[in-house]
Amino acid sequence: MGRVKVLRDFIGIIKDKASQSKAALISNPKTLSLHLALLRSTTHDPFTPPDPRHLATILSFGHSSRATASTVVEALMDRLQTTRDAAVAIKCLITVHHIIKRGSFILQDQLSVYPSSGGRNYLKLSNFRDDTTPLTWELSSWVRWYALYLETLLSTSRNLGFFLFSSSSSVEKDNEEDKASSAINSELLKEINSLGNLIEQIARTPDSLNSNRNRLVDEVLGLVGEDYLSSMNEVSIRVSEFRERLGCLSFVDSVELACALKRLEDCKERLSTISQSKKVVIETVWVSISELKDQIGNSQVYKEDNGRLLITGRRNKVSESARFGERVVMKRGGDSVKFSSGRFLSFNEFSFPGNELRDD
């Protein structure tokens, strides 16, 4: 077994050198540094994560033209799709993850085109298998999971309207509470369900046996652990907003919210091993999720029976126009202004001054 491992590592080194030599010969001089940085970031070594210097070189091309950004993503996806080596595939996915978190907007925009443009989904790796060694076989399960996670992350970002966990989306994140308070109920439910999908995918992290204490796997877990903390913050914003609106939710919305919160709670135990930082903050969010779920339960919207969700309760006979989940609407002629969030309850019957002077 030791000789097989040494031989495989040696073959991997030869492949890396050959790929870089080939790129130096046939690549366009304008993109040569890109291709070399990509090859050096995605070597066949199953233990070493991408070198930050090479990742920085790849990301730097995102500050050029849109055509150059397209070339970056195309080259990255081509490497991901053509390799049969688990280490190379994971490093390609790590590079994708860094683009989402640290890439420029045009680089992220080019990346988001691939799963959503109606063409080939370059992150669909559900059939990926590398059975060369027990380690690469286990790493293959990480490839399949990681690709699906990143696909879910891009989908969630589209639903929220900005790239989650991205340093380039700081402006949007600063306005998250305001956006949540002005969103209609159906939009908030879509967002919390989408975040639930993402957190469920994080909770499905593969078990590590042969890959335990592997630096490549640790790199993936570190990136996803950061995402978990940020995603719980996004959930917290929406849970707080729904608490303000709880008394005015329709029956259907209440049941859907209860289901979304239960899905989140079902992930809690598995997620306890994902990140060891900010435990107090994370536990506070879990408590708020549980409290809101209990509040809905106390209003007899639902009850649980052996893990099943049974609808029992109240139906709000509130017209669609009376729901707080509607957008801000101002009508002419002195009609009331309806605000979207329950925190503005006292203002919902406010009429503009001067209407009393009208003859009609």
Side-chain angles (χ1 to χ4, degrees):
M1 177 65 72
R3 289 183 178 180
V4 172
K5 179 182 180 300
V6 172
L7 179 60
R8 185 183 186 278
D9 291 346
F10 179 72
I11 292 174
I13 293 172
I14 295 299
K15 285 182 177 179
D16 292 334
K17 295 294 184 182
S19 297
Q20 293 173 32
S21 299
K22 181 180 177 181
L25 290 172
I26 67 175
S27 294
N28 187 318
K30 294 182 179 179
T31 59
L32 175 59
S33 58
L34 164 63
H35 289 288
L36 289 177
L38 178 58
L39 291 172
R40 290 165 180 165
S41 295
T42 57
T43 62
H44 290 73
D45 182 354
F47 299 98
T48 306
D51 189 314
R53 294 173 301 171
H54 301 318
L55 288 173
T57 299
I58 294 172
L59 294 177
S60 68
F61 284 91
H63 299 287
S64 186
S65 66
R66 188 170 294 274
T68 302
S70 178
T71 300
V72 173
V73 175
E74 183 179 355
L76 175 59
M77 293 304 184
D78 182 64
R79 180 126 172 101
L80 176 61
Q81 284 293 313
T82 56
T83 187
R84 294 295 176 264
D85 186 280
V88 173
I90 287 183
K91 292 176 187 182
C92 286
L93 294 171
I94 288 174
T95 306
V96 171
H97 205 162
H98 275 279
I99 290 175
I100 295 173
K101 293 172 74 71
R102 299 166 46 208
S104 66
F105 174 77
I106 61 170
L107 199 56
Q108 293 170 343
D109 186 52
Q110 290 299 308
L111 180 64
S112 66
V113 166
Y114 279 83
S116 62
S117 61
R120 181 181 182 184
N121 183 357
Y122 286 80
L123 291 174
K124 185 177 182 181
L125 298 174
S126 56
N127 295 322
F128 187 93
R129 300 287 188 281
D130 180 357
D131 58 0
T132 309
T133 68
L135 174 59
T136 59
W137 179 256
E138 185 170 307
L139 289 178
S140 296
S141 67
W142 283 88
V143 171
R144 296 190 296 272
W145 168 80
Y146 199 15
L148 183 55
Y149 168 74
L150 293 175
E151 185 180 350
T152 306
L153 173 54
L154 289 172
S155 174
T156 303
S157 296
R158 284 194 294 273
N159 287 334
L160 268 61
F162 63 93
F163 278 92
L164 272 171
F165 323 136
S166 169
S167 57
S168 66
S169 300
S170 57
V171 175
E172 289 85 349
K173 287 184 283 189
D174 290 342
N175 297 326
E176 272 299 277
E177 291 188 12
D178 291 338
K179 286 175 61 180
S181 65
S182 62
I184 61 175
N185 291 338
S186 60
E187 288 176 346
L188 275 182
L189 286 168
K190 182 180 179 180
E191 290 177 359
I192 202 167
N193 275 311
S194 189
L195 287 165
N197 292 337
L198 184 65
I199 290 174
E200 278 185 329
Q201 189 58 30
I202 295 175
R204 296 188 182 113
T205 306
D207 295 323
S208 297
L209 297 174
N210 294 293
S211 59
N212 191 31
R213 294 183 178 177
N214 181 299
R215 287 179 58 204
L216 187 56
V217 171
D218 288 345
E219 177 78 5
V220 174
L221 288 174
L223 291 169
V224 174
E226 293 172 0
D227 292 355
Y228 168 54
L229 295 176
S230 299
S231 63
M232 289 299 286
N233 180 63
E234 296 294 333
V235 169
S236 177
I237 291 171
R238 287 151 184 83
V239 167
S240 297
E241 182 58 36
F242 271 121
R243 184 181 291 112
E244 298 286 344
R245 305 184 186 191
L246 189 58
C248 304
L249 290 177
S250 70
F251 173 73
V252 173
D253 287 347
S254 296
V255 171
E256 185 175 350
L257 177 58
C259 292
L261 296 174
K262 185 178 185 304
R263 284 174 57 208
L264 286 169
E265 278 195 326
D266 289 344
C267 300
K268 181 180 179 181
E269 184 176 353
R270 177 76 177 178
L271 289 167
S272 61
T273 61
I274 295 296
S275 177
Q276 300 302 314
S277 62
K278 298 185 178 180
K279 283 189 172 182
V280 175
V281 175
I282 292 297
E283 184 58 33
T284 301
V285 180
W286 284 119
V287 169
S288 67
I289 290 172
S290 179
E291 288 177 347
L292 180 58
K293 178 170 164 284
D294 290 343
Q295 283 181 289
I296 300 173
N298 291 337
S299 64
Q300 297 183 346
V301 171
Y302 76 96
K303 66 180 180 180
E304 293 183 38
D305 179 24
N306 295 326
R308 293 181 301 171
L309 198 63
L310 301 180
I311 299 171
T312 63
R314 64 172 177 81
R315 291 181 179 272
N316 277 358
K317 296 183 179 179
V318 182
S319 68
E320 184 68 19
S321 61
R323 288 168 53 188
F324 286 105
E326 296 307 313
R327 295 185 184 275
V328 178
V329 178
M330 184 176 70
K331 295 182 179 180
R332 296 182 182 274
D335 290 345
S336 299
V337 176
K338 293 294 182 182
F339 292 89
S340 59
S341 176
R343 66 170 62 92
F344 299 118
L345 178 62
S346 60
F347 296 103
N348 270 346
E349 295 304 325
F350 176 78
S351 297
F352 285 96
N355 290 324
E356 66 277 5
L357 298 179
R358 293 178 51 164
D359 294 331
D360 52 348

